[in-house]
Amino acid sequence: SLPRLYEQFRKQTHSDCELIVLDDSPNPSLFFSTLTDPRVRYEYSNQRLTVGKKRNLLAEMASGEVIMHFD
């Protein structure tokens, strides 16, 4: 679930982290749409994307040197 994903992100001890979520589910996430954590970027797509397309888009958005994927 998306709230659990965020909770795991919050537990990270590395000081320079970002979480970028690309959501292509039928409806935008109310949880992430209202989240105010500046380290989190939430993007919603109203069209379904392949896993490869999503990973490429997210990698382009990322500013860090290490990227982890959660599908």
Side-chain angles (χ1 to χ4, degrees):
S1 80
L2 294 176
R4 281 189 65 185
L5 168 68
Y6 178 67
E7 285 306 312
Q8 293 304 311
F9 170 74
R10 284 189 53 227
K11 292 178 182 178
Q12 299 304 307
T13 58
H14 192 282
S15 62
D16 190 20
C17 288
E18 67 181 337
L19 174 63
I20 307 171
V21 177
L22 178 55
D23 180 5
D24 68 347
S25 62
N27 298 302
S29 165
L30 181 60
F31 176 80
F32 274 109
S33 296
T34 59
L35 197 64
T36 59
D37 187 331
R39 302 169 303 156
V40 176
R41 179 174 171 184
Y42 175 76
E43 299 288 335
Y44 177 76
S45 172
N46 59 2
Q47 95 187 92
R48 296 294 290 187
L49 304 169
T50 65
V51 171
K53 178 73 173 173
K54 285 190 262 189
R55 286 186 177 188
N56 289 338
L57 288 169
L58 290 165
E60 290 173 9
M61 292 179 204
S63 62
E65 294 180 20
V66 177
I67 297 174
M68 295 179 61
H69 296 280
F70 176 78
D71 297 328

